[in-house]
Amino acid sequence: MAERTPQDAFKETPLDETTLDPSTPAEWAAMRSLAHRMVDLSFDHMESRREQSVWQQLPGTVRSVLKDEELPRRGEGAVAACDSFLQNVLPYGVGNTHPRFWGWVMGGGTPVGIVAELLAATMNPNVGGFDDSATMVELQVIRWLAELMGMPVHSSGLLMSGGTMANLIGLVVGRYARAGYDVRAEGLQAGPPLRVYCTSEAHSWLKKSMEMMGMGRSSLRIIGVDARFMMNLDELRQAIADDRAAGCRPICVVATAGTVNTGATDDLVAIADICQAEQMWFHVDGAFGALAYWSEKLRPLVRGIERADSVAFDLHKWGYMPYDIGCVLIRDAELHKAAFATGASYLTAMERGPAAGGLYFADRNIELSRGFRALKAWMSLKAYGADAITAQIEKNVEQSAYLAYLVGASHKLQLAAEVPLNIVCLRYQGADDDQNKEILMRLQERGIAIPSGTIINGRFAIRVAHSNHRSRREDFDLLVDALESIGAEVMAGH
Ligand SMILES: *Cc1c(COP(=O)(O)O)cnc(C)c1O
């Protein structure tokens, strides 16, 4: 008898060639009709969002379905999974698709965004940057965004998960460019202590990034602000001079276009001049505020972005696109690549085929595999046009001014800060921090509206951050009425 060969063993193993796809035309038809039903329900949800409450507390039973269920070893099927989503997940979001959501800074998405996300998953490309359509789409989106931001058309850049990551990339390139030695090869120990400058109003991404980049928070110089929460420039000049005298190397100023607390913008033109004179990197965090640049009317408020070495901004906030999508633009494309490219053998560029040209985006950031975020930006810009998105941004600024006017005219409420852009911070007159917090929580719990809270000049304030294309004037009338009546309730101790 002949000996059994490995090939015989393969032949004897029963073939199981099932996949995760439906396996018969009938199964495909069922899957397709389930998908149609989900599309219909998604659009029903969005079309009727105004009639629903902004936010509702997760009931205990739902919470445990979502948190405590055991790992499904055997699937319950796509229909059951979808039903569970409709029942347990969809109704209990934070509320940012609702016309009266103005918490933190969030966008509410769009119908075109829903379609784009479906189509991106259909194609499912890995946008590390091949010679393929998805890469071309992202490169084009970056060029469009550079044009909208007043940056050179040949700027480099890429889409990231959000402002935090986009800002981090800008700072990493800035450090590489201005450390004065090869910081990639040598690490921080090889040079003098590096210094980065920002204001007390800068967003927390910067502290996290300084920690992660090994420079530590002590390398971050926090510059004071004036009464309008803008960087104090004399203090900046002095800090740079002091640091140089102490043997440190000032490498970067991180200016903000639209601070998260009040929407203030640093004097970007003056800071650009200082950076130029000091040979420092000029980075602008414009997470939401940079989008004001798209508007001719609002552009003077954020003038100077066009001089940035790098600028980071979100499209999932004031660009109204679905989470997650942020962008960083880098003026010097060569530097951008030099700050990240590795030349790894398994990523080598070919003369022809899908790897022709190398992996563009892998050479521009820390991530390798990336999703097709660019599609929702590309489709939003193509479907709505940049002008329509800009018109919504202008509308939001007008509505914010309207709210500021209502608050100013109210005998019960008062503004907690100036309103330069789209953020309105306010308090109930005579209420202490706890009472203002209580007013905010009741407003949220009743599902009327969702502003958030912050601390302004050491005191709690209710903060309305407006990047919502669905809000109407009447929504702000309703907000003010609700704040006045809940405030009266709280002040009376009810
Ligand atoms: C929101 C925000 C960030 C962080 O952006 P994410 O998209 O949340 O990561 C950074 N800076 C400012 C000014 C912001 O408003």
Side-chain angles (χ1 to χ4, degrees), residues 128-185:
F130 294 93
D131 194 23
D132 67 346
S133 57
T135 299
M136 297 308 128
V137 166
E138 183 156 345
L139 290 173
Q140 176 158 272
V141 164
I142 295 300
R143 183 166 54 74
W144 289 347
L145 293 171
E147 181 177 334
L148 286 166
M149 286 299 173
M151 293 279 281
V153 284
H154 296 299
S155 299
S156 183
L158 81 167
L159 300 172
M160 299 291 294
S161 56
T164 298
M165 294 305 288
N167 274 304
L168 170 64
I169 297 301
L171 187 59
V172 170
V173 180
R175 180 177 70 176
Y176 174 76
R178 298 301 151 93
Y181 66 99
D182 187 354
V183 72
R184 286 189 72 185

Side-chain angles (χ1 to χ4, degrees), residues 252-279:
C252 177
V253 179
V254 175
T256 306
T259 61
V260 65
N261 264 339
T262 67
T265 295
D266 293 321
D267 185 340
L268 304 179
V269 172
I271 294 171
D273 288 340
I274 293 172
C275 285
Q276 200 171 342
E278 298 282 349
Q279 309 226 317

Side-chain angles (χ1 to χ4, degrees), residues 5 90 205 239 296 307 311 387 475:
T5 66
L90 184 61
W205 72 267
E296 238 169 88
R307 292 184 55 192
V311 53
D387 290 351
D475 291 312

Side-chain angles (χ1 to χ4, degrees), residues 37-55:
R37 186 159 71 86
M38 290 305 118
V39 168
D40 282 339
L41 290 169
S42 297
F43 279 84
D44 288 349
H45 173 79
M46 195 158 259
E47 192 177 353
S48 65
R49 194 64 185 87
R50 175 172 282 282
E51 281 70 60
Q52 304 151 21
S53 79
V54 185
W55 176 82

Side-chain angles (χ1 to χ4, degrees), residues 105 162-164 167 203 205 256 258-260 285 287-288 314 316-317:
V105 195
T164 298
N167 274 304
H203 190 277
W205 72 267
T256 306
T259 61
V260 65
D285 172 10
F288 61 92
D314 275 314
H316 57 211
K317 288 177 175 171

Side-chain angles (χ1 to χ4, degrees), residues 135-466:
T135 299
M136 297 308 128
V137 166
E138 183 156 345
L139 290 173
Q140 176 158 272
V141 164
I142 295 300
R143 183 166 54 74
W144 289 347
L145 293 171
E147 181 177 334
L148 286 166
M149 286 299 173
M151 293 279 281
V153 284
H154 296 299
S155 299
S156 183
L158 81 167
L159 300 172
M160 299 291 294
S161 56
T164 298
M165 294 305 288
N167 274 304
L168 170 64
I169 297 301
L171 187 59
V172 170
V173 180
R175 180 177 70 176
Y176 174 76
R178 298 301 151 93
Y181 66 99
D182 187 354
V183 72
R184 286 189 72 185
E186 306 298 328
L188 289 173
Q189 62 275 17
L194 307 178
R195 291 289 179 262
V196 173
Y197 305 79
C198 70
T199 73
S200 47
E201 296 297 300
H203 190 277
S204 56
W205 72 267
L206 182 50
K207 281 185 182 155
K208 286 197 218 171
S209 297
M210 293 297 287
E211 294 166 9
M212 247 176 50
M213 290 167 71
M215 295 189 282
R217 288 200 308 276
S218 63
S219 299
L220 187 61
R221 283 275 179 270
I222 311 281
I223 307 297
V225 291
D226 63 16
R228 292 185 300 163
F229 300 100
M230 294 164 70
M231 187 180 286
N232 185 325
L233 298 178
D234 287 334
E235 205 178 312
L236 172 65
R237 288 189 196 92
Q238 191 61 51
I240 293 170
D242 290 350
D243 283 337
R244 283 202 200 284
C248 302
R249 178 163 296 153
I251 53 167
C252 177
V253 179
V254 175
T256 306
T259 61
V260 65
N261 264 339
T262 67
T265 295
D266 293 321
D267 185 340
L268 304 179
V269 172
I271 294 171
D273 288 340
I274 293 172
C275 285
Q276 200 171 342
E278 298 282 349
Q279 309 226 317
M280 291 168 67
W281 189 263
F282 175 39
H283 176 79
V284 177
D285 172 10
F288 61 92
L291 277 81
Y293 201 92
W294 298 14
S295 154
E296 238 169 88
K297 207 168 10 167
L298 301 174
R299 194 167 304 149
L301 296 172
V302 291
R303 181 64 75 192
I305 286 180
E306 73 283 353
R307 292 184 55 192
D309 291 305
S310 53
V311 53
F313 51 95
D314 275 314
L315 294 168
H316 57 211
K317 288 177 175 171
W318 225 358
Y320 314 107
M321 295 177 199
Y323 285 90
D324 50 14
I325 183 166
C327 177
V328 61
L329 298 173
I330 312 271
R331 179 178 300 274
D332 185 330
E334 287 304 313
L335 264 176
H336 189 185
K337 186 167 178 183
F340 284 102
T342 61
S345 55
Y346 42 85
L347 306 177
T348 306
M350 295 289 174
E351 286 80 48
R352 301 192 315 280
L359 270 70
Y360 299 78
F361 297 120
D363 283 349
R364 294 181 185 189
N365 85 123
I366 184 78
E367 293 182 331
L368 176 53
S369 296
R370 306 164 65 244
F372 197 6
R373 288 189 188 104
L375 187 64
K376 56 195 169 194
W378 189 76
M379 284 193 52
S380 298
L381 287 164
K382 282 177 80 72
Y384 297 117
D387 290 351
I389 298 173
T390 304
Q392 293 297 321
I393 291 170
E394 290 175 350
K395 181 184 80 177
N396 290 163
V397 172
E398 277 164 26
Q399 289 169 328
S400 302
Y402 177 66
L403 174 61
Y405 157 76
L406 291 180
V407 171
S410 162
H411 297 300
K412 304 285 189 216
L413 306 173
Q414 63 190 39
L415 290 174
E418 277 185 34
V419 181
L421 205 59
N422 62 332
I423 297 188
V424 182
C425 292
L426 59 97
R427 301 188 180 98
Y428 193 86
Q429 287 181 19
D432 63 18
D433 283 4
D434 287 342
Q435 287 164 325
N436 275 306
K437 264 187 209 162
E438 183 62 31
I439 294 168
L440 174 61
M441 289 188 288
R442 288 190 195 186
L443 182 75
Q444 294 175 337
E445 279 173 338
R446 291 176 195 178
I448 301 169
I450 306 269
S452 55
T454 191
I455 309 287
I456 307 271
N457 294 328
R459 288 181 53 212
F460 184 82
I462 296 168
R463 174 175 162 283
V464 179
H466 185 19

